Amino acid sequence: MNESLVSAYKDILSSRGLNYHYLSLPAVGDKPTLLFVHGFPSTSYEWYHQIYYFSERGFGVVAPDMLGFGGTSKPTDTSLFLHTAIAQDLLDILDAEKVQRAIAVGHDWGSAIISILSIKHSDRFLGFAFAAVTYNVPGPFPPLDVILEMQTKIYGRPLLGYWKFFEQESAPSLIEKNLESFISVLYPDDPDNWLTLMNRPGEIQAFIESGKMTKRASYLTDEHHSHLLESLRKGGLTSPLNWYWCKLKGIDSHIMEEIPKENLFIKKPVFFAAARKDHVCVYDYAVSEMEKYARGGLKIIDFQGGHWVHLEEPETFNMELEGWIRDTL
């Protein structure tokens, strides 16, 4: 990331007292601002293809390091990862930047957060763009073994087997000891590696404990790889894994109790970059959820690769997203 972008980062204390480190580039004229919300185990750097592309075309960009990552606070209290509270943190950033109407773009856990932005704060946004991971309605989280069993009945295999590793207290230190192995699993050259390493319980743990490596994805450049390693070495994995622990401990399970049922439906236009080979957020499920909840218009673009669509095919992703913004908004 070039120096001029690095110098465009700021820090803010959110209304609940957490420090957020974020990139802010103002919009030119009446162009909208894009709020980019990353997931695990990334930082705002992950959006660099999009940051360059959209800022060069006059769009505003706000891209925070999310809670637990990069230059943002790294709390270990799981209750602080309540998704409605994190959504409010992002609104605090938009308020500080005087952004009235934004387009929220989410990937991975970021998709869960922009789902909350739609459910609770739809009026603040022009539209919502989801990358790979579909719209998510927060609700009670069944025991993990029940989920894995249910997935096996539906898909012929469990999908969230890696959560069995992530839920363990020893997971952060095991990952920290074998960070390069871990990153090679999460960013594999062959997305089908996830069919075993991510889907099946026990596989990822055995793999990284023995320090094995898969072939790293070509879209993960040396610079990006070094950034990931450095940021996770510095910050550790205890805080980031709270994104999973928050679900497993039921922190989010009461969110919908306060919210009118009609708010479950996305009222604003939706863009979905659907990944054919995301073997965790599987294509058919992802698309059917989108079709079920998007009531303000839906554009689905199919990508043939895996989970990291915006890194793997950035030119197509950026052009399609810009085209949707132009035609819809």
Side-chain angles (χ1 to χ4, degrees):
M1 200 175 265
N2 67 32
E3 283 308 307
S4 64
L5 280 188
V6 173
S7 65
Y9 271 85
K10 302 180 179 182
D11 287 270
I12 187 179
L13 270 187
S14 72
S15 50
R16 59 187 182 136
L18 294 168
N19 183 74
Y20 270 79
H21 186 62
Y22 66 98
L23 176 71
S24 177
L25 301 166
V28 176
D30 60 356
K31 283 273 174 82
T33 292
L34 278 66
L35 170 68
F36 289 105
V37 190
H38 72 82
F40 181 94
S42 318
T43 69
S44 54
Y45 183 106
E46 184 188 296
W47 297 106
Y48 71 97
H49 292 293
Q50 288 70 43
I51 291 164
Y52 287 122
Y53 182 92
F54 286 97
S55 63
E56 280 166 5
R57 285 159 179 76
F59 291 89
V61 167
V62 172
D65 287 348
M66 294 301 286
L67 198 60
F69 298 102
T72 291
S73 290
K74 296 172 188 64
T76 54
D77 176 353
T78 309
S79 67
L80 293 174
F81 287 76
L82 177 70
H83 285 187
T84 44
I86 291 174
Q88 183 57 52
D89 294 338
L90 298 186
L91 292 186
D92 293 344
I93 296 171
L94 294 181
D95 289 344
E97 294 302 314
K98 299 186 168 48
V99 174
Q100 282 315 307
R101 312 263 287 186
I103 297 158
V105 186
H107 174 254
D108 194 80
W109 283 111
S111 293
I113 298 301
I114 74 166
S115 300
I116 298 289
L117 291 174
S118 167
I119 290 166
K120 285 202 76 175
H121 310 285
S122 183
D123 55 322
R124 285 292 298 268
F125 293 89
L126 298 165
F128 297 93
F130 294 79
V133 175
T134 192
Y135 177 70
N136 177 265
V137 177
F141 202 76
L144 188 51
D145 289 329
V146 172
I147 292 174
L148 296 175
E149 207 173 299
M150 201 164 66
Q151 290 171 340
T152 306
K153 280 196 183 119
I154 299 169
Y155 304 105
R157 67 181 200 276
L159 304 178
L160 300 183
Y162 65 102
W163 284 51
K164 293 291 285 180
F165 172 43
F166 284 7
E167 76 175 344
Q168 296 172 34
E169 268 180 44
S170 59
S173 62
L174 275 172
I175 295 169
E176 286 158 16
K177 283 191 194 98
N178 300 283
L179 206 45
E180 297 219 29
S181 170
F182 179 69
I183 287 172
S184 85
V185 173
L186 263 65
Y187 298 83
D189 191 56
D190 180 0
D192 288 347
N193 286 352
W194 279 23
L195 289 166
T196 46
L197 290 174
M198 297 293 271
N199 289 167
R200 301 196 179 281
E203 294 283 347
I204 186 173
Q205 183 170 354
F207 189 91
I208 71 164
E209 271 185 325
S210 60
K212 288 183 188 163
M213 301 286 290
T214 71
K215 188 180 176 203
R216 196 176 93 210
S218 55
Y219 58 78
L220 189 65
T221 63
D222 286 345
E223 187 188 330
H224 190 178
H225 183 246
S226 300
H227 168 82
L228 260 177
L229 279 174
E230 187 189 337
S231 113
L232 291 170
R233 278 195 183 121
K234 201 169 156 191
L237 267 294
T238 303
S239 186
L241 283 169
N242 276 282
W243 284 88
Y244 297 88
W245 299 343
C246 169
K247 283 286 170 209
L248 292 162
K249 292 178 179 178
I251 304 286
D252 273 343
S253 56
H254 303 296
I255 286 175
M256 291 313 300
E257 288 169 13
E258 310 289 299
I259 291 170
K261 285 284 175 277
E262 64 266 22
N263 285 24
L264 284 184
F265 297 99
I266 312 170
K267 303 176 186 79
K268 298 291 167 73
V270 173
F271 173 89
F272 183 39
R276 285 273 176 191
K277 288 202 164 187
D278 187 330
H279 295 307
V280 171
C281 186
V282 291
Y283 178 88
D284 291 342
Y285 167 78
V287 167
S288 68
E289 286 295 286
M290 273 305 173
E291 288 171 342
K292 180 174 164 186
Y293 289 106
R295 296 288 168 89
L298 172 63
K299 170 117 180 167
I300 297 177
I301 302 294
D302 280 8
F303 289 79
Q304 299 311 311
H307 180 67
W308 309 94
V309 287
H310 53 306
L311 288 171
E312 204 170 336
E313 294 187 63
E315 294 82 6
T316 309
F317 180 89
N318 294 344
M319 280 171 51
E320 292 288 1
L321 180 56
E322 186 189 17
W324 169 76
I325 293 170
R326 188 186 55 237
D327 299 344
T328 312
L329 308 171

